Amino acid sequence: MTKKISRRDFVKATAVGSGAVLLAACAPAAAPPTAVPTAVPAAPAMSLPFPMDAAAVNPLGIGTEPIDGVFFSGGFGHDYITYAGKLVEGVHPGVKVSVKPIQKVSEELRPRLVEGNPPDVIDNSGAGSFPTTDLVNDGQLADLAALMEAPSFDTPGVKFKDTLFPGSQSSLVYDGKQMGVNIAYTVSAMWYSKPWLEKSGYTIPATWSEFLGVLDKIKKEGKMAPWTYQGKYPYYMWGIVLNQLMYKAAGSSALIAIDNLEPNAWKNPDILRATQDLYALWDKGYIMEGTAGLTHTESQAEWLNGKAAFIPCGTWLENEMKDQTPADFKMTAAGIPGYADGKGDNSAVAAGGGEPFVVFAKGKNVKGGMEFLRAQLSRSSAKWFAENVSSIMPVSGVTDLKATEGVKSAIAVVEKAGKNIIEFKIVDWYSEFSKEIEQRTGELLTGVVKPEGFVDLMQKKADEIAANADIKKFKRTS
């Protein structure tokens, strides 16, 4: 039957969060309002854009208590969060959903956690986010088992968990428990202007050595730099390029060994090869002058202005730069080239869930926080996100999309990869390692550290973590 419904000492300082957090969220956008939490206007009379099973109306059994939400406002903007809040209020007349936008998540929310008065639900993203592993180890987060088993918001007869892309939520599973949900599906790629590529006569080759040849020709032409990246945030190079080169050169078993903190995993010759190939961008002078001093948006603006041919980024790029993108630019995603003799699949891509939303175990309305997530990852919300944010939610069954060139090309990269999705868990599991690789990649790409020194430093940090009995360890087999 369906019916239509009216529409413990957590004071530790945190720096760079997990790779997945940064991957999905990138860095801060313009300063958001700093007023009190903004309640979405009640909309008991709004007509929902979908029929709803009676069993899907209130499976979590929420009451009329307000839902206290605080959300990082970055590359995806904030309107999609407001939209989900309206969906909740449309289904649950009388419930108020607060959707306060913030930038420095850990800095602004740490006092509330220390007081034992956290929000119900947050978007734990951005450069100032909490490392999720630290939140889990401190017992701050609610187990979302009830949400995962609940009926989908707007896919009749299907559980919430079964509407989500396979593997999209694995980064937030700890000891078999779902401790958060990723609301974005990010494809990590290199980007270019489609009209520029067509006019130049270049093509994107399958191998990194051939790609370096293309970059060399661009450099010799002297019209633009071959490459730039988000200089002050080296994550974009280790979390989008290096991880994929390592997989394609060394294969999945090598990345599993790294994630499992195995001795000498970073000393694998193929891992060194991939590091040397990343370093070649600096060593051969392909990186745009001044890149290291630029923020994410500054380097992206230079790229849009024709100062560089390629830039690495996730699928939030289109929305983040929409106000600065020339009408005829047509930003397009391409996979990172690989190796003719590599041990990994060249079509593989680093893609998966990002922009982690979590519910606090000590929130006043835990069920309400879960209900917000149920609405956020609905088909209706995913469609709105694709069409208005030019990004992808990991929700199946979304139809009739009016997609941009960026979204279409990113989807094509994922479809070509098939099941060959690259995982690099060490940065998610160990915040100390995330900080180390962030610093050392910046040094690698400015010539301060050479490839051999880089892998030595990575192995040293991994060994330190492995030897520290106070750090909880995680392992994977595939």
Side-chain angles (χ1 to χ4, degrees):
M1 171 182 178
T2 63
K3 64 176 181 177
K4 201 79 168 176
I5 307 295
S6 292
R7 261 290 290 163
R8 95 185 144 262
D9 59 328
F10 201 79
V11 196
K12 40 175 96 163
T14 53
V16 178
S18 74
V21 169
L22 286 169
L23 178 66
C26 72
T34 56
V36 296
T38 304
V40 178
M46 83 179 265
S47 177
L48 293 173
F50 49 79
M52 182 176 262
D53 278 348
V57 174
N58 193 10
L60 297 172
I62 75 167
T64 58
E65 296 83 3
I67 299 172
D68 181 5
V70 181
F71 305 95
F72 171 74
S73 186
F76 292 139
H78 202 72
D79 290 344
Y80 77 99
I81 295 171
T82 300
Y83 181 82
K86 289 180 178 179
L87 289 179
V88 173
E89 292 185 340
V91 174
H92 304 285
V95 173
K96 290 281 189 177
V97 182
S98 295
V99 291
K100 180 183 178 182
I102 62 172
Q103 290 286 298
K104 301 176 181 179
V105 176
S106 63
E107 180 180 319
E108 295 190 41
L109 293 181
R110 188 181 296 108
R112 292 189 61 178
L113 271 64
V114 173
E115 293 167 3
N117 180 38
D120 299 317
V121 58
I122 71 167
D123 174 0
N124 185 39
S125 299
S129 62
F130 292 110
T132 306
T133 302
D134 292 353
L135 289 173
V136 172
N137 291 341
D138 200 58
Q140 294 285 344
L141 303 184
D143 181 350
L144 301 183
L147 168 65
M148 301 304 284
E149 295 296 329
S152 161
F153 205 78
D154 58 357
T155 303
V158 181
K159 290 183 179 181
F160 174 82
K161 67 178 182 181
D162 294 329
T163 66
L164 307 177
F165 289 0
S168 64
Q169 307 304 318
S170 62
S171 65
L172 292 171
V173 174
Y174 293 82
D175 292 331
K177 297 179 180 179
Q178 192 73 48
M179 306 306 290
V181 292
N182 292 309
I183 63 86
Y185 192 76
T186 298
V187 180
S188 296
M190 59 185 193
W191 297 75
Y192 61 91
S193 165
K194 185 176 182 179
W196 166 80
L197 189 72
E198 292 174 343
K199 185 177 180 180
S200 71
Y202 297 126
T203 58
I204 307 297
T207 68
W208 187 257
S209 61
E210 291 173 312
F211 181 62
L212 290 178
V214 171
L215 298 187
D216 196 61
K217 291 178 181 178
I218 294 171
K219 179 185 178 182
K220 288 176 179 177
E221 286 178 353
K223 296 178 182 179
M224 62 172 67
W227 187 275
T228 190
Y229 68 96
Q230 299 77 351
K232 290 186 176 182
Y233 305 101
Y235 154 75
Y236 288 80
M237 292 295 279
W238 64 256
I240 293 178
V241 185
L242 179 60
N243 59 339
Q244 302 201 55
L245 288 176
M246 291 195 306
Y247 163 82
K248 293 180 181 185
S252 61
S253 62
L255 266 61
I256 291 172
I258 286 174
D259 291 344
N260 292 344
L261 304 175
E262 293 183 11
N264 296 317
W266 282 92
K267 300 298 185 70
N268 183 321
D270 292 321
I271 296 298
L272 176 60
R273 178 189 186 183
T275 306
Q276 290 169 331
D277 282 338
L278 184 74
Y279 178 74
L281 295 174
W282 159 263
D283 192 45
K284 294 179 180 293
Y286 298 152
I287 298 175
M288 184 181 74
E289 186 176 352
T291 286
L294 300 179
T295 66
H296 62 301
T297 53
E298 289 169 344
S299 62
Q300 289 160 191
E302 292 292 276
W303 170 67
L304 289 169
N305 289 330
K307 298 297 180 61
F310 296 94
I311 192 169
C313 204
T315 37
W316 62 80
L317 178 62
E318 272 194 296
N319 188 66
E320 185 168 60
M321 302 304 292
K322 62 184 178 183
D323 294 333
Q324 299 181 54
T325 304
D328 60 349
F329 193 85
K330 292 187 178 180
M331 61 175 71
T332 305
I336 303 298
Y339 299 88
D341 58 348
K343 296 181 176 68
D345 191 303
N346 275 353
S347 65
V349 64
E355 200 81 9
F357 280 45
V358 297
V359 174
F360 283 100
K362 296 179 182 178
K364 291 184 175 66
N365 192 356
V366 174
K367 290 181 179 179
M370 292 187 193
E371 181 67 358
F372 179 87
L373 298 180
R374 201 169 67 98
Q376 186 72 86
L377 283 167
S378 63
R379 285 191 301 182
S380 178
S381 182
K383 179 178 171 64
W384 195 98
F385 193 66
E387 295 180 346
N388 294 277
V389 186
S390 297
S391 293
I392 307 165
M393 280 189 178
V395 180
S396 302
V398 181
T399 58
D400 302 322
L401 285 180
K402 299 176 182 178
T404 63
E405 186 66 42
V407 170
K408 288 189 292 185
S409 60
I411 291 173
V413 170
V414 171
E415 289 178 341
K416 184 178 180 180
K419 295 181 179 181
N420 298 306
I421 303 300
I422 300 167
E423 295 192 15
F424 189 48
K425 297 290 191 179
I426 190 171
V427 292
D428 298 324
W429 290 343
Y430 309 107
S431 57
E432 296 90 344
F433 193 91
S434 180
K435 296 170 189 176
E436 182 75 4
I437 196 172
E438 178 80 358
Q439 176 185 342
R440 303 308 183 183
T441 301
E443 294 171 351
L444 180 72
L445 293 171
T446 51
V448 175
V449 172
K450 299 298 188 289
E452 294 79 6
F454 178 88
V455 296
D456 286 345
L457 288 164
M458 293 301 98
Q459 188 62 55
K460 180 181 178 181
K461 177 56 66 173
D463 291 344
E464 288 175 2
I465 295 171
N468 190 334
D470 293 330
I471 298 176
K472 184 174 181 177
K473 308 305 189 298
F474 302 91
K475 288 188 179 294
R476 69 183 179 103
T477 58
S478 62

